Amino acid sequence: MTMRRITGALLALTALAYLQTARADGLDPTEQKIVAEIKAHAPQALALLEQSVLINSGTMNTRGVRDVGALFRKQFDALGFTTRWIELPPGMRRAGHLVATRDGNRGKRLLLLGHLDTVFEPGSDVPMWKRDGDKVRGQGVSDMKGGDVIVIEALRALHRVGALDGTRIAVMFTGDEEEAGNPKSVSRGDMVELAKRSDVALSFEGSIPDKNGQATATVGRRATATWELEVKARQGHSMAVFGANGYGAVYETARILDAFRQQVIEPGLTFNPGVILGGTEVAFDEATSRGTAFGKTNVIANTATVKADLRYLDYPQRDRAQARMRDIVAQNLPGTSATIAFHDSYPPMAVTPGNLKVLDLYSRASQDAGLGTIAPLPAEARGAGDIQFVAPLLDSLDGLGASGNGAHSPNEDLDVGSIERGAVRAALLIYRLTR
């Protein structure tokens, strides 16, 4: 071998050693052991995920939700947590929630959030579990049983190296996140109480990459509300529409909705009419979200109803939007009248300095582990989530779960490697917050 080749080989080995050392330098010896534990037990983590996914736990399948809760409860019991099942009033028709706690006196008091239910009820034709290389397709694999497993595996690695001793951690896996029971003051009351006794909340909903493929976490989420539009009109022969008999309920409804679309415009604000019924006889069943309408083409419709949602960044934006919508509703076409009613649902998760600080800690942990930085996800890029009920009370971060595509659809899948990456990031963040 020539001296040039020897020198080149030495330089390459030196560079490789430097990169390996630089990566390891970001983690202390205990952190390196934590990462090693997660990597060594990756197959067991995937097996636990499969076991949970093979149990149907659609929100209304209360038995299935309880069975998934029992499976995860065993994991927390083995890690030294005190576990309990929170029952909800029978009339709510919800399974309840799993809570696991540890009492100590070291570091930040943490609240870790996940959920046991999925949108796939019994009888769904979506595959329960289908492995295809580095992807898994199945019911709730990424939303969010993958996130639940990340919580368990992160805590398991911390337990194995003795890093859970003295920590103050509460875990709550809700049984009805996909369709929270009402009133929410009851279904989320225990969560709020746990938040009042915590310093930081971490939620493990799925991780969503940005448009450049950059890993992200969620520092803000839009609030949600519902609204109902009720329109009345003068019923009569269609020959006199636009004239003596007025415009009818359907035209008035169309005017209002199109005016919303054109005039109520702000960044981050959306409103979606999900159901519209119009005719001379209209009925809607709130419990099943189903309705019926009857009418004839030669009769002007006297009734229309719209069921819809509203999503907003903060309360001032909500108030501006609602005021403008009420003004539009009041400008009735001849022969019609209309009313609109709003109902708040999930509060906003505001982007706060505290949330951004937790994101910075999370990003540094990821970078120190060689997994790259974490960017903030725009609030409008997510739907509603449990963390919004506690975010007004403490520093919060969401989106720490598994990565996948097609959530809530027949094509929901999971990137298998994201379980290991998520567990590494989460374990390091928990370790640093509780030291």
Side-chain angles (χ1 to χ4, degrees), residues 156-173:
R156 198 190 310 278
L158 292 166
H159 176 69
R160 288 193 183 108
V161 303
L164 277 185
D165 297 341
T167 59
R168 299 175 290 181
I169 299 174
V171 182
M172 186 171 189
F173 286 176

mmCIF file of all heavy atoms in Angstrom, residues 156-173:
data_model
loop_
_atom_site.group_PDB
_atom_site.id
_atom_site.type_symbol
_atom_site.label_atom_id
_atom_site.label_comp_id
_atom_site.label_asym_id
_atom_site.label_seq_id
_atom_site.Cartn_x
_atom_site.Cartn_y
_atom_site.Cartn_z
ATOM 1 N N ARG A 156 -39.381 1.855 30.439
ATOM 2 C CA ARG A 156 -38.747 0.561 30.718
ATOM 3 C C ARG A 156 -37.225 0.692 30.687
ATOM 4 O O ARG A 156 -36.516 0.138 31.537
ATOM 5 C CB ARG A 156 -39.212 -0.487 29.712
ATOM 6 C CG ARG A 156 -38.948 -1.916 30.177
ATOM 7 C CD ARG A 156 -39.182 -2.940 29.080
ATOM 8 N NE ARG A 156 -40.439 -2.826 28.385
ATOM 9 C CZ ARG A 156 -41.595 -3.310 28.834
ATOM 10 N NH1 ARG A 156 -41.644 -3.899 30.007
ATOM 11 N NH2 ARG A 156 -42.690 -3.188 28.100
ATOM 12 N N ALA A 157 -36.708 1.419 29.700
ATOM 13 C CA ALA A 157 -35.256 1.614 29.613
ATOM 14 C C ALA A 157 -34.744 2.404 30.803
ATOM 15 O O ALA A 157 -33.685 2.073 31.372
ATOM 16 C CB ALA A 157 -34.915 2.329 28.307
ATOM 17 N N LEU A 158 -35.474 3.431 31.203
ATOM 18 C CA LEU A 158 -35.076 4.199 32.384
ATOM 19 C C LEU A 158 -35.075 3.319 33.630
ATOM 20 O O LEU A 158 -34.174 3.422 34.481
ATOM 21 C CB LEU A 158 -36.022 5.388 32.570
ATOM 22 C CG LEU A 158 -35.945 6.484 31.499
ATOM 23 C CD1 LEU A 158 -37.143 7.424 31.611
ATOM 24 C CD2 LEU A 158 -34.647 7.274 31.624
ATOM 25 N N HIS A 159 -36.062 2.455 33.734
ATOM 26 C CA HIS A 159 -36.154 1.551 34.887
ATOM 27 C C HIS A 159 -34.964 0.592 34.922
ATOM 28 O O HIS A 159 -34.382 0.348 36.000
ATOM 29 C CB HIS A 159 -37.462 0.772 34.801
ATOM 30 C CG HIS A 159 -37.644 -0.264 35.873
ATOM 31 N ND1 HIS A 159 -37.848 0.052 37.198
ATOM 32 C CD2 HIS A 159 -37.636 -1.627 35.808
ATOM 33 C CE1 HIS A 159 -37.972 -1.057 37.903
ATOM 34 N NE2 HIS A 159 -37.842 -2.093 37.085
ATOM 35 N N ARG A 160 -34.581 0.070 33.774
ATOM 36 C CA ARG A 160 -33.505 -0.915 33.733
ATOM 37 C C ARG A 160 -32.168 -0.344 34.172
ATOM 38 O O ARG A 160 -31.311 -1.075 34.672
ATOM 39 C CB ARG A 160 -33.379 -1.490 32.323
ATOM 40 C CG ARG A 160 -34.524 -2.425 31.918
ATOM 41 C CD ARG A 160 -34.163 -3.188 30.660
ATOM 42 N NE ARG A 160 -35.256 -4.039 30.217
ATOM 43 C CZ ARG A 160 -36.001 -3.812 29.151
ATOM 44 N NH1 ARG A 160 -35.775 -2.741 28.405
ATOM 45 N NH2 ARG A 160 -36.962 -4.641 28.815
ATOM 46 N N VAL A 161 -31.969 0.949 33.970
ATOM 47 C CA VAL A 161 -30.686 1.559 34.365
ATOM 48 C C VAL A 161 -30.797 2.286 35.701
ATOM 49 O O VAL A 161 -29.870 2.977 36.121
ATOM 50 C CB VAL A 161 -30.169 2.523 33.280
ATOM 51 C CG1 VAL A 161 -30.017 1.809 31.947
ATOM 52 C CG2 VAL A 161 -31.055 3.754 33.138
ATOM 53 N N GLY A 162 -31.953 2.140 36.376
ATOM 54 C CA GLY A 162 -32.133 2.761 37.692
ATOM 55 C C GLY A 162 -32.463 4.236 37.649
ATOM 56 O O GLY A 162 -32.414 4.911 38.697
ATOM 57 N N ALA A 163 -32.838 4.767 36.478
ATOM 58 C CA ALA A 163 -33.069 6.205 36.352
ATOM 59 C C ALA A 163 -34.490 6.623 36.705
ATOM 60 O O ALA A 163 -34.795 7.819 36.692
ATOM 61 C CB ALA A 163 -32.734 6.660 34.930
ATOM 62 N N LEU A 164 -35.366 5.661 37.018
ATOM 63 C CA LEU A 164 -36.711 6.029 37.451
ATOM 64 C C LEU A 164 -36.798 6.295 38.941
ATOM 65 O O LEU A 164 -37.760 6.914 39.414
ATOM 66 C CB LEU A 164 -37.712 4.918 37.094
ATOM 67 C CG LEU A 164 -38.265 4.894 35.669
ATOM 68 C CD1 LEU A 164 -39.338 3.805 35.559
ATOM 69 C CD2 LEU A 164 -38.849 6.236 35.264
ATOM 70 N N ASP A 165 -35.793 5.838 39.692
ATOM 71 C CA ASP A 165 -35.825 5.985 41.143
ATOM 72 C C ASP A 165 -35.933 7.462 41.521
ATOM 73 O O ASP A 165 -35.153 8.302 41.054
ATOM 74 C CB ASP A 165 -34.564 5.384 41.769
ATOM 75 C CG ASP A 165 -34.463 3.888 41.524
ATOM 76 O OD1 ASP A 165 -35.502 3.281 41.213
ATOM 77 O OD2 ASP A 165 -33.348 3.346 41.637
ATOM 78 N N GLY A 166 -36.905 7.782 42.363
ATOM 79 C CA GLY A 166 -37.068 9.148 42.860
ATOM 80 C C GLY A 166 -37.835 10.068 41.934
ATOM 81 O O GLY A 166 -38.084 11.229 42.288
ATOM 82 N N THR A 167 -38.217 9.599 40.758
ATOM 83 C CA THR A 167 -38.924 10.470 39.816
ATOM 84 C C THR A 167 -40.400 10.615 40.194
ATOM 85 O O THR A 167 -40.963 9.773 40.891
ATOM 86 C CB THR A 167 -38.838 9.934 38.380
ATOM 87 O OG1 THR A 167 -39.400 8.621 38.340
ATOM 88 C CG2 THR A 167 -37.392 9.886 37.909
ATOM 89 N N ARG A 168 -40.982 11.702 39.712
ATOM 90 C CA ARG A 168 -42.408 11.978 39.942
ATOM 91 C C ARG A 168 -43.092 12.029 38.575
ATOM 92 O O ARG A 168 -43.045 13.039 37.891
ATOM 93 C CB ARG A 168 -42.560 13.303 40.696
ATOM 94 C CG ARG A 168 -41.886 13.291 42.062
ATOM 95 C CD ARG A 168 -41.941 14.645 42.733
ATOM 96 N NE ARG A 168 -41.082 15.626 42.071
ATOM 97 C CZ ARG A 168 -40.943 16.896 42.487
ATOM 98 N NH1 ARG A 168 -41.643 17.340 43.520
ATOM 99 N NH2 ARG A 168 -40.129 17.716 41.852
ATOM 100 N N ILE A 169 -43.692 10.911 38.208
ATOM 101 C CA ILE A 169 -44.267 10.765 36.867
ATOM 102 C C ILE A 169 -45.686 10.230 36.979
ATOM 103 O O ILE A 169 -45.942 9.268 37.707
ATOM 104 C CB ILE A 169 -43.418 9.807 35.998
ATOM 105 C CG1 ILE A 169 -41.992 10.353 35.829
ATOM 106 C CG2 ILE A 169 -44.080 9.586 34.638
ATOM 107 C CD1 ILE A 169 -41.063 9.390 35.110
ATOM 108 N N ALA A 170 -46.599 10.859 36.262
ATOM 109 C CA ALA A 170 -47.963 10.356 36.125
ATOM 110 C C ALA A 170 -48.219 10.084 34.649
ATOM 111 O O ALA A 170 -47.852 10.880 33.789
ATOM 112 C CB ALA A 170 -48.979 11.364 36.655
ATOM 113 N N VAL A 171 -48.815 8.939 34.371
ATOM 114 C CA VAL A 171 -49.175 8.568 32.996
ATOM 115 C C VAL A 171 -50.691 8.411 32.944
ATOM 116 O O VAL A 171 -51.281 7.767 33.823
ATOM 117 C CB VAL A 171 -48.508 7.249 32.568
ATOM 118 C CG1 VAL A 171 -48.859 6.921 31.128
ATOM 119 C CG2 VAL A 171 -46.989 7.322 32.762
ATOM 120 N N MET A 172 -51.313 8.998 31.923
ATOM 121 C CA MET A 172 -52.751 8.803 31.729
ATOM 122 C C MET A 172 -53.012 8.429 30.286
ATOM 123 O O MET A 172 -52.690 9.184 29.369
ATOM 124 C CB MET A 172 -53.540 10.060 32.090
ATOM 125 C CG MET A 172 -55.048 9.858 32.044
ATOM 126 S SD MET A 172 -55.950 11.275 32.735
ATOM 127 C CE MET A 172 -57.620 10.625 32.793
ATOM 128 N N PHE A 173 -53.561 7.238 30.084
ATOM 129 C CA PHE A 173 -54.006 6.777 28.763
ATOM 130 C C PHE A 173 -55.533 6.820 28.782
ATOM 131 O O PHE A 173 -56.184 6.012 29.446
ATOM 132 C CB PHE A 173 -53.529 5.352 28.494
ATOM 133 C CG PHE A 173 -52.056 5.220 28.178
ATOM 134 C CD1 PHE A 173 -51.488 3.961 27.996
ATOM 135 C CD2 PHE A 173 -51.237 6.328 28.062
ATOM 136 C CE1 PHE A 173 -50.136 3.812 27.700
ATOM 137 C CE2 PHE A 173 -49.877 6.195 27.768
ATOM 138 C CZ PHE A 173 -49.329 4.940 27.587
#
